[in-house]
Amino acid sequence: MKNMGDKPKVRIIRMRKVSFMDSTGLHNLESLFRLSKAENIHMILSGVNEDVHKVLTKSSFEQKIGSENICSNINKAVKRAGAVTM
């Protein structure tokens, strides 16, 4: 990402093909969130299914990222990204 030039303001993680989330996946997602936050990049999740959403809630990750940043589809995530960058 650093080689691309301008740093993005928002990072949308598309999760529509993620059918379940184990501890390794959650750890990696939390690491990416911390990295994004340190780089002042807003992170939004898109296409989170019900089972994965339950894991994010139970682990308190939803509280960290904010429920408004967990979107059911890409259209909502893009709309959220637009609201964040204004």
Side-chain angles (χ1 to χ4, degrees), residues 5-73:
D6 291 339
K7 182 171 60 171
K9 294 178 182 167
V10 176
R11 180 174 285 149
I12 297 176
I13 308 300
R14 298 188 75 181
M15 299 183 64
R16 70 182 189 271
K17 293 186 179 181
V18 177
S19 57
F20 71 96
M21 176 81 56
D22 62 7
S23 60
T24 302
L26 182 60
H27 173 76
N28 290 335
L29 190 60
E30 288 178 332
S31 294
L32 181 59
F33 177 71
R34 283 192 302 274
L35 176 65
S36 297
K37 195 171 184 178
E39 294 177 349
N40 203 28
I41 299 171
H42 193 92
M43 193 165 118
I44 299 171
L45 304 180
S46 167
V48 177
N49 74 32
E50 187 178 325
D51 291 335
V52 172
H53 200 158
K54 286 178 186 177
V55 171
L56 299 178
T57 301
K58 188 175 180 180
S59 69
S60 299
F61 183 77
E62 180 179 22
Q63 191 174 358
K64 292 175 191 174
I65 194 170
S67 60
E68 66 278 6
N69 296 309
I70 300 176
C71 303
S72 58
N73 62 59

